[in-house]
Amino acid sequence: MKSVALHLGVLVLLVVAQFLLPSYHANNLSRILVLAVFAMGYNIAFGYSGLLSLGHALLFAAGMYGAGMLVHHAGTAALLALLIGTLAGGIMATLVGLLALRTAGVSFMIVTLMFAQVGFLTILYFNGVTGGDEGIALTAPERQFIGLDLTQDAPRFWVALVLFVIALAANLALVRSRFGRVMLAMRENEERSRMLGFNPYVVKLQILVISGLFSGAAGAAYALLFGYIGGSFASVQYSILPMLYVLLGGAATVLGPLLGAGLMFYLIDFASGLTSAYLMVVGAALVALVLFAPKGILGTIRERWLPWLP
Amino acid sequence: MAAVILSATGISKSFGGLCAVDGVDFALEAGEIHALIGPNGAGKTTFVSLLSGRITPDRGQITLGGEEITRLPAHQRVREGIAYTFQITSIYPGLSVFDNVALAAQAHGAKDLHAAVQAALQRVNMADLAAQQAATLSYGHQRLLEVAMGLALKPRVLILDEPTQGLASGEIAGFVALVRSLVPETTVLLIEHNMDVVMDLAQRITVLNHGQVLARGTATEIRANRAVQAAYLGVEDAEG
Ligand SMILES: Nc1ncnc2c1ncn2[C@@H]1O[C@H](COP(=O)(O)OP(=O)(O)OP(=O)(O)O)[C@@H](O)[C@H]1O
Ligand SMILES: [Mg+2]
């Protein structure tokens, strides 16, 4: 009950913020919501299940290019493109997982990183269709979403919010389900889980696919909402970012990804206004985090004060 | 003679040059409590790991209920009804006691999770600890939690690897009663160093030494066996 109230409260806050904030920040909020969906996907693999992937940019890019190229080259309707982009994330996660999940730990990190680099280079190589480094700007007609004009701030926010709400509800339902418990079991003690009759390979593949669906949905939405697809979204930076969001907000918390994405977004925004070496500032913030709140903000709050926090 | 539920024929496993299990033949009869004893390093844990599928044998065959399972992965053997409780406590330290047992119950396909968890916890007298985080339990309670997880799997064969290790003497009496109450629905294979527990519970005993079967028989037969006395019981006496 408390948790339902909390999540509804957060949603109300988001809606109010959209009306009160000036356009620049309201737009940032839309971006943060979409990035938070990506981070939720990452959190499902990393935070809840202990799968430390360095290749999630590939899943985000699968959604982004799946949706973006469909609307751009094939004139597909935006809603259908969003759905296909979501699936593309899941399918890509399946392909990566089938191979990468034969490894664990550091090898898993390296294999996922390599897959993502292959994806990144593939996008650059086929620049005729993908736009390569420069990317493709989606035109206004390509960004009409069930009658909503996504080039406008307000519709963009509402679509981002609806996507976020769906993701949030799915995330909550998942972690409260029996499967959610198995996810934690994978993270806590894989050998024990095997000796309870769970097939770790299959379970982890399922987790990765769910994570890929979230990431794909975020990538697809990002393309449609902000009208641009580009190779940089497949670069290693976009594998690291969701990890930072999750670590900052709190791994294995449902709202951590939103909080982490929001704070990190503004931290980068603020730091890059001060200095071109803004990554230094981000680095310093992370060191502070690891020293003072290794479980992230909500992880620490849950540990100290709110044990019921999902 | 009762039907054999789990059997091994000529099973062997080496680690490097060391032959930890060396051509063991073994048959577990449905409904019995069977103790597996032997000195430290005799190969007991390795042998039951071969039965449960945690490690694969170099040679030999394993059958469950007449079906060969030698190549079946461990998780599928669990689903076929072989449950293993670890000698070195292996629980989910970060999860609650409830969640630990719930994972076993849901793996078994329990419809009513709460009822299944409560039932398993009640059998080990830990029902009031359901909300506690497993890492904060006493060592003895962690051992019992491990047993509760085994029970929640509702296995056909329950393999207990030194379950009383670290239990207080008061807890041991309760544990003996618990194991006795499991048969004949469940068949129990018990690795145990506490001879009182073994003699109290086991209908049959198999003694391993240097990876080989040194003796097998009833409690009385084993007690009277000179070779066993020399290799194992004698050592135990000398220590105690
Ligand atoms: N994974 C392994 N790698 C190498 N050697 C091993 C391994 N597992 C067991 N051994 C060795 O195999 C032998 C049998 O070990 P095992 O653990 O089966 O004995 P045990 O009878 O269970 O002993 P204990 O009573 O101490 O539990 C020992 O010499 C042990 O050191
Ligand atoms: Mg042992």
Side-chain angles (χ1 to χ4, degrees):
Chain A
M1 246 328 46
K2 276 188 275 194
S3 113
V4 172
L6 173 72
H7 292 91
L8 286 179
V10 169
L11 294 183
V12 170
L13 221 63
L14 287 170
V15 172
V16 172
Q18 135 79 7
F19 286 116
L20 294 185
L21 289 174
S23 158
Y24 170 71
H25 292 289
N27 245 322
N28 284 348
L29 194 56
S30 305
R31 259 178 227 277
I32 289 167
L33 287 174
V34 176
L35 291 173
V37 173
F38 182 25
M40 276 183 202
Y42 191 81
N43 195 24
I44 285 167
F46 166 67
Y48 288 97
S49 318
L51 290 171
L52 210 168
S53 146
L54 289 181
H56 264 57
L58 181 62
L59 309 180
F60 187 77
M64 170 171 269
Y65 279 86
M69 299 209 310
L70 276 178
V71 294
H72 188 72
H73 293 304
T76 308
L79 175 62
L80 184 60
L82 178 65
L83 294 176
I84 294 176
T86 305
L87 281 183
I91 292 168
M92 190 62 89
T94 312
L95 297 179
V96 173
L98 281 173
L99 287 164
L101 286 172
R102 296 183 182 279
T103 67
V106 176
S107 323
F108 180 75
M109 290 161 62
I110 293 172
V111 173
T112 49
L113 178 69
M114 275 170 29
F115 267 110
Q117 283 307 97
V118 170
F120 176 55
L121 294 174
T122 307
I123 288 170
L124 296 192
Y125 184 79
F126 291 103
N127 57 2
V129 249
T130 62
D133 231 356
E134 277 177 23
I136 300 171
L138 304 181
T139 62
E142 289 161 8
R143 294 169 63 198
Q144 301 304 311
F145 186 85
I146 46 172
L148 297 168
D149 182 359
L150 296 184
T151 63
Q152 301 299 311
D153 287 354
R156 179 158 51 209
F157 173 80
W158 291 114
V159 171
L161 185 70
V162 168
L163 178 75
F164 175 77
V165 169
I166 294 172
L168 189 73
N171 193 348
L172 263 175
L174 181 67
V175 302
R176 286 162 160 227
S177 69
R178 289 188 176 196
F179 189 74
R181 192 179 284 119
V182 180
M183 285 165 41
L184 297 178
M186 282 297 137
R187 182 191 72 191
E188 288 276 314
N189 189 343
E190 182 171 326
E191 175 65 1
R192 204 346 139 196
S193 307
R194 194 156 71 95
M195 295 314 290
L196 288 183
F198 299 105
N199 183 345
Y201 183 72
V202 170
V203 171
K204 288 193 282 188
L205 189 60
Q206 290 166 337
I207 292 168
L208 218 50
V209 170
I210 297 171
S211 178
L213 291 171
F214 276 70
S215 307
Y222 209 92
L224 299 168
L225 292 176
F226 307 108
Y228 171 76
I229 62 179
S232 62
F233 289 104
S235 70
V236 67
Q237 193 191 344
Y238 273 81
S239 292
I240 303 291
L241 278 175
M243 187 197 305
L244 298 186
Y245 300 156
V246 166
L247 286 173
L248 179 61
T253 63
V254 172
L255 287 172
L258 174 67
L259 187 62
L263 288 175
M264 191 61 77
F265 188 93
Y266 273 99
L267 183 66
I268 293 176
D269 192 57
F270 171 74
S272 52
L274 289 181
T275 159
S276 57
Y278 68 92
L279 282 177
M280 292 265 291
V281 179
V282 174
L286 280 173
V287 171
L289 177 74
V290 170
L291 288 179
F292 299 111
K295 302 208 158 160
I297 296 169
L298 291 181
T300 305
I301 290 178
R302 170 160 68 190
E303 194 173 64
R304 299 241 174 105
W305 299 292
L306 306 177
W308 51 267
L309 201 68
Chain B
M1 204 167 113
V4 170
I5 183 160
L6 182 63
S7 77
T9 345
I11 202 101
S12 299
K13 179 71 185 181
S14 300
F15 296 111
L18 177 90
C19 201
V21 172
D22 187 5
V24 169
D25 292 322
F26 176 83
L28 191 64
E29 287 171 10
E32 73 171 331
I33 299 176
H34 193 124
L36 186 62
I37 64 172
N40 290 114
K44 304 179 296 292
T45 296
T46 307
F47 175 66
V48 295
S49 297
L50 293 166
L51 295 181
S52 69
R54 290 181 63 216
I55 53 180
T56 46
D58 302 332
R59 273 187 310 283
Q61 264 198 355
I62 301 166
T63 61
L64 173 69
E67 307 251 328
E68 182 174 348
I69 57 165
T70 317
R71 300 273 153 243
L72 203 65
H75 64 90
Q76 280 180 26
R77 291 192 206 188
V78 178
R79 298 201 169 261
E80 295 291 324
I82 304 179
Y84 174 69
T85 70
F86 289 74
Q87 174 173 9
I88 299 165
T89 310
S90 180
I91 54 175
Y92 302 104
L95 304 188
S96 68
V97 168
F98 177 89
D99 281 340
N100 270 268
V101 182
L103 279 159
Q106 72 185 58
H108 173 70
K111 293 243 154 42
D112 184 346
L113 213 49
H114 279 264
V117 171
Q118 276 307 311
L121 284 176
Q122 252 150 22
R123 297 195 86 157
V124 296
N125 273 323
M126 285 177 61
D128 50 335
L129 297 176
Q132 200 167 325
Q133 193 192 333
T136 66
L137 292 172
S138 70
Y139 182 73
H141 275 142
Q142 292 190 1
R143 297 297 301 161
L144 289 175
L145 173 58
E146 176 102 38
V147 174
M149 290 162 81
L151 295 178
L153 283 169
K154 299 220 187 328
R156 291 152 77 190
V157 176
L158 179 61
I159 301 173
L160 299 163
D161 198 345
E162 300 200 18
T164 66
Q165 200 180 53
L167 293 195
S169 44
E171 291 170 317
I172 290 182
F175 181 77
V176 166
L178 164 67
V179 172
R180 191 171 286 125
S181 75
L182 296 177
V183 289
E185 295 77 30
T186 308
T187 307
V188 177
L189 176 55
L190 174 71
I191 299 180
E192 185 55 69
H193 274 301
N194 184 327
M195 275 305 141
D196 294 337
V197 172
V198 171
M199 294 303 168
D200 204 2
L201 279 175
Q203 277 111 45
R204 294 197 304 149
I205 299 174
T206 296
V207 187
L208 277 190
N209 196 23
H210 300 304
Q212 296 177 330
V213 177
L214 182 68
R216 57 182 116 230
T218 62
T220 339
E221 285 163 5
I222 293 300
R223 227 196 284 262
N225 187 309
R226 297 236 165 231
V228 175
Q229 281 169 6
Y232 184 66
L233 299 173
V235 178
E236 187 96 325
D237 283 345
E239 277 174 359

